Amino acid sequence: MENFVFQNPTKIIFGKGTETQVGAETKKHADKVLLHYGSGSIKKSGLYDTVVKSLKEAGVEFVELAGVQPNPRLSLVHQGIELCRKEGIKFILAVGGGSVIDSAKAIAVGVPYEGDVWDFYIGKAQVKEALGVGVVLTIPAAGSESSPSSVITNEDGWYKRGLTTDHIFPRFAILNPEFTYTLPNYQTACGAADIMAHIMERYFTNTKDVELTDRLCEATMKTLINNVPKALVNPTDYAVRAEIMWTGTVAHNNLLGTGREEDWASHAIEHEISGIYDIAHGAGLAIVFPAWMQYVYKNDVARFAQFASRVWDVDYNFFNPEETALKGIQKLKEFFSSIGLPVSLREAGIDDSRLEEMADKCTGSDTYTVGSFVKLNKKAVYDILTLAK
Amino acid sequence: MENFVFQNPTKIIFGKGTETQVGAETKKHADKVLLHYGSGSIKKSGLYDTVVKSLKEAGVEFVELAGVQPNPRLSLVHQGIELCRKEGIKFILAVGGGSVIDSAKAIAVGVPYEGDVWDFYIGKAQVKEALGVGVVLTIPAAGSESSPSSVITNEDGWYKRGLTTDHIFPRFAILNPEFTYTLPNYQTACGAADIMAHIMERYFTNTKDVELTDRLCEATMKTLINNVPKALVNPTDYAVRAEIMWTGTVAHNNLLGTGREEDWASHAIEHEISGIYDIAHGAGLAIVFPAWMQYVYKNDVARFAQFASRVWDVDYNFFNPEETALKGIQKLKEFFSSIGLPVSLREAGIDDSRLEEMADKCTGSDTYTVGSFVKLNKKAVYDILTLAK
C-alpha cells in the first residue's frame, strides 16, 4: 500500500424528497447564487420548480445560466464567469448531471482568476481559490457531485481536458434517486459505464498489498452490475435506482483509490473520441475499456483473473489463469452490450479515419505517455484504438 | 434504503513516516495545544520525541496531559478541561489509541461548556461547540480517529456512556501502521474485535435494499479476518498492519452505515461489562457478540446466512438456511478464540453474580430497550448475558 492523504468534505444529502432542502442548505453558503443547469429536462421533471421555490423560501437570490450540453463547453463557462463577476455572485448551484457540475466547477475556479480559465485545464496555472459549488444531482454517472474534478471541452480544436483540485469539492450534494426514474435507458447505461470505469481505473494498479480497496472496488462493481439491468426493465424501482446512485458517488469520492496508483489511460483515450465525435462519455468508455484490457492484461494476469472471479463469478481455472482473465474481459464486454452500449467504434458509427489524430492528441508526442498500469505511448494508444474498431 | 446525510470531514494522512507532519498540520489549527496521551508507551516507541520535535519545528507551543487509561475516566477529562481553560488552549492533539482520542474529544466539548461535561454523555445537554482535535493514531480499533463519537467512564458508579456529535470529528488523523508493530498480540486482537463489531453493528439491520453497504461491510470484514491472524504471527509485516489500520478507520467513518438502521445493542451491553470489570472493550465484544447473535438470529435467518456465506465462505445450505446461519455464528466465535480472545464471561474471569445488575444498568428500566435489529429489554439483555456465561 502506498502512503496517501484522504479527505472528502462534501455533505451528501440522500433520499426521497431531499431536494426541498436545497434552499436552506444553499443559504448556509450564500445569499445570491448562479443557478446553472442544462437543456431544460429539470423543467419537465418539476425539479426546477421545486428548487426555485426552495431558494425563494430560504431568501436566496439567483441568476440563471442554462444550456449546459453533454461534454460541457468552454464557451458557456466563459459566459458563466462573466455573469458571476457582473452580478457579484460567490456561489454556484448546479442542478443536473456531471456536465452541469463540471461546468459549474469551471466557472467557480474561473471567476477569481485573472487569466483564461482554460489555463487550469492544460496545466498552465494552478488553482488557488474558487467559488463554492452546491449540487442537486439528476444523473448517476460522473461522480462529480463529490469529486475534486471537472472535465471541459474546448471547442477551439475540440480538446477535452480535466482538472483536479481540492478547491472544487462541492460543499453539498443532494441526491434523490426518484429524479433518475425518467432517464432514457441509454443514458442510464452510459452512466453505468462511467461509474464502472471510475472503479476500474483504480482497480487496475501495479501497487501491491491493497486488499481492502480491492475488495471495496469489487463490492461496488458487483452492486452496479446487479442493479443496472433491473433499472432498464423497471425504471421506477426506487431500491434499484438508489443502489445505482449511491454507487456512482462511492465510485469516485476517492476512497476506492486510497493507497493505490491509479491508471486513467482509458479516460484519456476516451476523451479524444468524445472530444471529436461528441458521443456520450459512457459510450466511449464502453468502447475503449475492453480494448484497453485486451492490450494490457498480460501485465498482470493474476489481477485480471481476480477481477473475473470476484466481480463476474467466473470459475477460476487453476491450470490456466489466463483463460480466466480473458473470460472476465469478455464478461465486461457482454455486460456493456447487454445494457445497450456500443463496444466498438463501428457500433458507435465512427470509422477509422482519425485514429492517428486521436492517438496524437492523447499523447501529444511520441514520447509522452498516458496511464500507469501500463504506460502507453502514441503507438500503443493507436493500437488500442485499432483493437476498438 | 433509508434517507441519510453523510459527511466526514476528517483529513486522513496515512503511511510510513507521516508522523513527522504533525507539527505542520497542527499549526494550521492552533499555535498552542494540549498534548494528550496515555501511559507512556509512546515514549518507549519514540513517537513522543518525534511529535515534540515536529511541534517545536512548526512553532506550536504545548502543554502535556498524560495518563489516559483504557476505558478513559471522567476525572482525567475534568483535569484536562481545567488545564485548557487555565492555559487558554483551543486545540487538543491526541497521540495514542481510541481511549486517548475519546478523552481528548470529551475535553474538547467540556472546555466551552459551563455545566459538567458528563451532561453530554447522559443526554442532559446538547453540544453546541467544541475545541478542535487532531490525532496521531497508534492502535487500530475504536475508529475514533475519524468518528463523531466518544465513550467515557464515570468512576462514580462505573457508568460507561457514549456521545455522538458532528462537533468532535477530528480535524486530521495521522496513521502510520509502523507504530502498531509493537502492540502486544492481545491488544491487536482486541482492536480487531472492536473493528469487527463496528461493522457488524451496522450489518445486522432490518432495513431492506441495502446491497451496496452490505457488500462494503462484507469486503471490510473479509479483509480484517484475512489479515489479523497474519499480524499475530508477523507483527512487523507492514502490508498486513496497513490493511488492519485502514480497515479500522473505514469500519467506523459512517460510510458503512449509510441508508441503514444500525443496531448497537452489543456495544451497549459490553459497556456494562467493561464499565464494571474494566476488561478491554474488544474482549467484552468478543464475549457479547456471539451470544447476541445466538439470541437474535431467528429475526432474519437470511441475513445471517448471507453473513456466513459471503464473510466466512460457509457453503450455503439451500435446504436448511438456518444451519448456514448458525455456522456463521460459530465461525465468528472460533475466529475470536483463535486470535486469543475470551468468548465467554468465564474465560474473562467474570462470574455470574452481577448479570442482573448489568442488565439493569444497560436498559435502566423494564420498559427501556437497547438495539434495533431486535429491541432488547432488561430481560432480553439478562438472557444474552446468560448465554455469554
Side-chain angles (χ1 to χ4, degrees):
Chain A
M1 200 188 297
E2 292 180 3
N3 282 13
F4 65 86
V5 174
F6 173 72
Q7 184 175 34
N8 190 316
T10 303
K11 179 180 182 182
I12 305 288
I13 303 167
F14 190 103
K16 292 181 185 175
T18 48
E19 67 279 6
T20 59
Q21 298 175 39
V22 66
E25 207 57 42
T26 304
K27 183 71 177 178
K28 294 177 189 169
H29 300 280
D31 297 320
K32 184 177 179 183
V33 304
L34 181 72
L35 177 57
H36 199 35
Y37 56 97
S39 62
S41 66
I42 63 165
K43 291 194 171 167
K44 264 189 272 176
S45 70
L47 179 56
Y48 174 85
D49 290 339
T50 306
V51 168
V52 163
K53 183 163 174 266
S54 180
L55 289 174
K56 284 183 177 164
E57 282 173 359
V60 177
E61 267 190 86
F62 59 91
V63 176
E64 296 190 32
L65 180 63
V68 180
Q69 301 171 60
N71 301 318
R73 308 299 153 88
L74 182 61
S75 55
L76 192 72
V77 170
H78 284 147
Q79 276 184 51
I81 292 170
E82 284 316 306
L83 193 55
C84 285
R85 285 178 181 158
K86 194 180 112 202
E87 297 279 346
I89 285 171
K90 304 288 182 215
F91 193 88
I92 304 166
L93 181 63
V95 182
S99 298
V100 175
I101 305 166
D102 283 7
S103 182
K105 287 172 171 177
I107 296 168
V109 296
V111 172
Y113 179 61
E114 283 183 9
D116 185 345
V117 66
W118 189 245
D119 291 350
F120 297 129
Y121 288 78
I122 54 173
K124 212 178 119 186
Q126 295 290 312
V127 175
K128 296 215 179 85
E129 52 178 328
L131 307 192
V133 172
V135 171
V136 182
L137 185 69
T138 59
I139 309 173
S144 190
E145 66 275 11
S146 79
S147 86
S149 302
S150 157
V151 178
I152 295 293
T153 296
N154 186 342
E155 304 99 310
D156 184 6
W158 296 102
Y159 287 93
K160 187 171 176 178
R161 292 290 177 264
L163 165 70
T164 296
T165 163
D166 283 356
H167 292 279
I168 56 176
F169 276 113
R171 302 288 203 275
F172 64 83
I174 293 175
L175 284 68
N176 178 353
E178 293 174 311
F179 283 103
T180 69
Y181 287 175
T182 52
L183 283 175
N185 274 357
Y186 184 68
Q187 217 171 340
T188 297
C190 285
D194 198 10
I195 295 168
M196 192 75 189
H198 290 154
I199 308 168
M200 294 190 296
E201 296 280 21
R202 293 172 166 99
Y203 189 76
F204 292 100
T205 183
N206 293 317
T207 310
K208 300 297 172 206
D209 303 319
V210 285
E211 180 175 346
L212 176 61
T213 41
D214 267 3
R215 290 188 185 278
L216 294 175
C217 286
E218 291 153 4
T220 312
M221 288 190 273
K222 271 197 99 90
T223 304
L224 187 73
I225 294 161
N226 273 347
N227 283 281
V228 172
K230 295 181 196 170
L232 302 183
V233 174
N234 187 358
T236 60
D237 184 329
Y238 181 82
V240 161
R241 290 295 196 178
E243 293 294 347
I244 296 171
M245 198 166 208
W246 192 212
T247 295
T249 303
V250 170
H252 203 44
N253 73 359
N254 281 348
L255 175 70
L256 302 187
T258 50
R260 3 183 356 127
E261 191 181 57
E262 306 182 1
D263 189 68
W264 299 98
S266 298
H267 264 72
I269 299 171
E270 194 293 317
H271 284 177
E272 303 313 327
I273 302 176
S274 58
I276 291 177
Y277 294 100
D278 205 23
I279 66 169
H281 177 52
L285 288 165
I287 295 165
V288 171
F289 239 110
W292 174 82
M293 286 179 166
Q294 218 176 312
Y295 189 87
V296 305
Y297 80 90
K298 285 187 178 161
N299 179 57
D300 192 347
V301 169
R303 178 157 287 281
F304 274 90
Q306 177 181 288
F307 172 70
S309 169
R310 290 200 194 153
V311 177
W312 299 101
D313 297 320
V314 172
D315 206 22
Y316 181 64
N317 187 333
F318 292 82
F319 306 98
N320 189 351
E322 186 169 351
E323 186 196 81
T324 310
L326 287 168
K327 276 191 184 165
I329 300 171
Q330 187 56 30
K331 283 268 190 184
L332 174 70
K333 203 164 175 175
E334 285 167 13
F335 172 73
F336 284 149
S337 270
S338 74
I339 61 174
L341 294 175
V343 290
S344 68
L345 291 167
R346 195 177 43 239
E347 283 179 27
I350 298 172
D351 65 24
D352 60 2
S353 61
R354 299 176 75 175
L355 303 191
E356 192 165 349
E357 179 189 347
M358 289 191 276
D360 193 49
K361 278 172 113 172
C362 185
T363 56
S365 73
D366 288 335
T367 51
Y368 181 78
T369 63
V370 293
S372 74
F373 183 67
V374 174
K375 288 190 195 308
L376 306 171
N377 61 14
K378 180 179 160 182
K379 167 73 167 54
V381 172
Y382 179 85
D383 289 346
I384 288 169
L385 287 167
T386 302
L387 284 169
K389 275 206 295 194
Chain B
M1 199 188 298
E2 293 179 4
N3 283 13
F4 65 86
V5 174
F6 173 71
Q7 184 176 34
N8 190 318
T10 303
K11 178 180 183 182
I12 305 288
I13 303 166
F14 190 103
K16 291 180 186 175
T18 48
E19 67 278 6
T20 59
Q21 298 174 39
V22 66
E25 207 56 41
T26 304
K27 184 71 177 180
K28 293 177 188 168
H29 301 280
D31 297 319
K32 184 177 178 183
V33 304
L34 181 72
L35 177 58
H36 199 37
Y37 57 96
S39 61
S41 65
I42 63 165
K43 292 195 172 168
K44 263 190 273 176
S45 70
L47 179 56
Y48 173 86
D49 290 338
T50 306
V51 167
V52 164
K53 181 162 175 263
S54 181
L55 289 174
K56 283 183 178 165
E57 281 173 1
V60 178
E61 266 188 87
F62 58 92
V63 175
E64 296 189 33
L65 180 63
V68 180
Q69 301 170 60
N71 301 315
R73 308 298 154 87
L74 182 60
S75 56
L76 191 73
V77 170
H78 284 146
Q79 278 184 50
I81 292 169
E82 285 316 304
L83 193 56
C84 285
R85 286 177 182 158
K86 196 181 109 201
E87 298 278 347
I89 285 171
K90 304 289 182 212
F91 193 88
I92 303 164
L93 181 63
V95 182
S99 298
V100 175
I101 305 167
D102 283 10
S103 182
K105 288 172 171 177
I107 296 168
V109 296
V111 171
Y113 178 61
E114 285 182 8
D116 185 346
V117 65
W118 189 245
D119 291 351
F120 297 128
Y121 289 78
I122 54 172
K124 214 178 118 185
Q126 297 289 314
V127 175
K128 296 215 177 83
E129 53 178 326
L131 307 192
V133 172
V135 171
V136 181
L137 184 69
T138 59
I139 309 174
S144 190
E145 65 276 11
S146 80
S147 86
S149 302
S150 157
V151 178
I152 295 293
T153 296
N154 185 340
E155 303 98 311
D156 184 7
W158 297 103
Y159 287 93
K160 187 170 175 177
R161 293 290 177 265
L163 164 71
T164 296
T165 165
D166 283 357
H167 291 280
I168 55 176
F169 276 112
R171 301 288 202 273
F172 65 82
I174 293 174
L175 284 68
N176 178 353
E178 293 174 310
F179 283 104
T180 69
Y181 287 176
T182 52
L183 284 175
N185 275 357
Y186 184 68
Q187 218 172 339
T188 297
C190 286
D194 198 9
I195 295 168
M196 192 75 188
H198 290 154
I199 309 168
M200 295 190 295
E201 296 280 20
R202 293 172 165 99
Y203 190 77
F204 292 99
T205 183
N206 294 314
T207 310
K208 300 296 173 206
D209 303 318
V210 286
E211 181 176 345
L212 175 60
T213 41
D214 267 5
R215 291 189 186 277
L216 294 175
C217 286
E218 291 153 3
T220 313
M221 287 190 274
K222 271 196 98 87
T223 304
L224 186 73
I225 294 161
N226 274 346
N227 283 281
V228 171
K230 294 180 197 170
L232 302 184
V233 174
N234 188 357
T236 60
D237 184 330
Y238 182 82
V240 162
R241 290 294 193 179
E243 294 294 347
I244 296 171
M245 199 166 207
W246 192 212
T247 295
T249 303
V250 170
H252 203 43
N253 73 358
N254 281 348
L255 175 71
L256 302 188
T258 51
R260 18 196 328 140
E261 191 181 57
E262 304 182 2
D263 189 69
W264 299 99
S266 298
H267 264 74
I269 299 170
E270 194 293 316
H271 284 177
E272 303 313 328
I273 301 176
S274 57
I276 291 177
Y277 294 100
D278 205 22
I279 65 169
H281 177 51
L285 289 165
I287 295 166
V288 171
F289 239 110
W292 174 83
M293 288 181 163
Q294 216 176 314
Y295 188 87
V296 305
Y297 80 91
K298 286 189 178 160
N299 180 57
D300 192 347
V301 169
R303 178 157 287 282
F304 273 90
Q306 177 180 287
F307 173 70
S309 169
R310 290 201 193 151
V311 177
W312 298 102
D313 297 320
V314 172
D315 205 24
Y316 181 65
N317 186 335
F318 292 83
F319 306 99
N320 189 351
E322 187 169 349
E323 187 196 82
T324 310
L326 287 168
K327 275 192 185 165
I329 300 172
Q330 187 56 31
K331 284 269 191 186
L332 174 70
K333 205 165 171 174
E334 285 167 13
F335 172 72
F336 285 149
S337 270
S338 75
I339 61 175
L341 294 175
V343 290
S344 67
L345 291 167
R346 196 179 41 240
E347 284 179 26
I350 297 171
D351 65 24
D352 59 2
S353 61
R354 297 177 76 175
L355 302 191
E356 191 164 349
E357 179 190 347
M358 289 192 275
D360 193 52
K361 277 173 113 171
C362 184
T363 57
S365 73
D366 289 337
T367 51
Y368 180 77
T369 63
V370 293
S372 73
F373 183 67
V374 173
K375 287 189 197 307
L376 307 170
N377 60 13
K378 179 178 159 182
K379 168 74 167 57
V381 172
Y382 179 83
D383 289 346
I384 288 168
L385 287 167
T386 303
L387 285 169
K389 276 206 295 193

